[in-house]
Amino acid sequence: MNLLQRFSLFTCGSLSRYQSVIAIQSVDKKQFNSRKYYSTDDMAAPDESVVSKDEMRRFMVECMTTAGATESHATQLALVLLEGDVRGHYSHGLNRLDMYVRDVQQNVCKGDGEPVILKEKAGTAWVDGNNLLGPVVGNFCMDLAIEKAKNAGIGWVVAKGSNHYGIAGWYALRAMKQGMLGMSMTNTSPISYPTRSAVPALGTNPISLAAPGTGDDAFVLDMASTTVAIGKVFIGDGETLKLSYTSWANAKNQW
């Protein structure tokens, strides 16, 4: 099958943030089902403890349901955060859980409900995320984009009313696992300083691309469009933060 024969695009957004994902079908699914996207072997240092993925997922789901989210929504969030840690994106893994817990507890975002399709055509759609957890909206939009791509050759879904959706790569991989090329992107709050600016005006605006190759090969990009993701600052040790003040901050050591 030609690489560009089928592709689906999804764009998921929020009250202050917009997200997008693209998926392009390009390989035979029989090849695709045997693919391995990461390895968890020998990842822990000698002085580190290893926690099973099942235990991490249980803990996160329990925290979110206690905060007020439904089990389905809590599970969708937990899987995204778990994938972030497994893939080495520690800035978007378990350490972000408290943010989501607070958002639900303080009614910043809803822990129950479903996204709604506002308008749609064969290959496009506009979705209202109803201020739900970002992964709930993201999964809904990407699944819709994949469905449209299978029928129309392209699926482009745009959403409003979403929230922080974890690693962008989760959604690109979601399309890739359906035998398509995937793309996911989002804007963020204005926390980045443009060149020679005294005030923040841009978001970190991450983007992810996932493309299956032949055999066990694949291409997966998941990156911020700034020098570093803000989450890297939150998990940095003393040496990291010392470096951050000289390369990640402005002249007044502000992020």
Side-chain angles (χ1 to χ4, degrees):
M1 181 178 290
N2 185 283
L3 185 65
L4 299 179
Q5 190 169 348
R6 282 183 173 273
F7 75 97
S8 78
L9 166 65
F10 141 67
T11 304
C12 164
S14 73
L15 299 175
S16 60
R17 159 183 309 117
Y18 295 87
Q19 303 155 355
S20 106
V21 177
I22 301 173
I24 304 177
Q25 187 167 343
S26 62
V27 297
D28 185 273
K29 290 185 178 179
K30 290 182 179 178
Q31 289 181 322
F32 204 80
N33 290 337
S34 63
R35 303 175 62 85
K36 294 183 179 179
Y37 305 103
Y38 50 78
S39 173
T40 57
D41 295 339
D42 302 323
M43 293 181 64
D47 59 340
E48 293 178 331
S49 298
V50 177
V51 179
S52 72
K53 292 190 290 184
D54 288 343
E55 176 59 18
M56 281 186 64
R57 182 171 61 249
R58 181 208 61 77
F59 173 76
M60 289 189 282
V61 169
E62 190 169 313
C63 287
M64 291 303 300
T65 53
T66 300
T70 65
E71 184 171 355
S72 172
H73 289 199
T75 299
Q76 290 183 67
L77 171 64
L79 291 174
V80 175
L81 298 185
L82 182 61
E83 185 77 1
D85 278 333
V86 168
R87 296 187 68 84
H89 294 285
Y90 304 118
S91 60
H92 286 66
L94 179 62
N95 75 304
R96 287 296 185 102
L97 180 62
D98 63 333
M99 176 186 72
Y100 293 101
V101 168
R102 288 197 307 270
D103 283 351
V104 173
Q105 285 179 328
Q106 299 173 7
N107 294 318
V108 174
C109 70
K110 298 177 182 177
D112 189 15
E114 295 298 329
V116 175
I117 299 174
L118 299 175
K119 293 182 180 180
E120 68 175 324
K121 293 184 180 297
T124 61
W126 180 30
V127 170
D128 185 350
N130 281 326
N131 198 30
L132 297 168
L133 289 167
V136 175
V137 182
N139 287 341
F140 179 91
C141 290
M142 187 44 133
D143 290 347
L144 180 60
I146 291 171
E147 179 183 352
K148 289 183 175 298
K150 289 178 178 179
N151 295 322
I154 179 172
W156 189 328
V157 182
V158 182
K160 66 173 186 175
S162 183
N163 290 283
H164 193 282
Y165 75 161
I167 59 170
W170 171 262
Y171 309 95
L173 286 167
R174 195 175 183 90
M176 185 170 152
K177 291 173 182 177
Q178 292 290 317
M180 300 183 175
L181 301 187
M183 184 174 187
S184 170
M185 63 190 76
T186 178
N187 77 327
T188 72
S189 301
I191 57 177
S192 175
Y193 291 79
T195 303
R196 291 181 291 278
S197 172
V199 295
L202 303 175
T204 57
N205 302 344
I207 182 172
S208 176
L209 303 168
T214 57
D216 289 331
D217 196 14
F219 171 81
V220 180
L221 169 73
D222 192 350
M223 58 172 279
S225 58
T226 51
T227 302
V228 68
I230 188 64
K232 292 286 194 303
V233 177
F234 299 148
I235 65 172
D237 56 23
E239 289 302 312
T240 302
L241 293 178
K242 183 178 179 181
L243 171 65
S244 303
Y245 283 125
T246 62
S247 60
W248 297 349
N250 67 1
K252 296 181 181 180
N253 287 338
Q254 297 173 325
W255 304 104

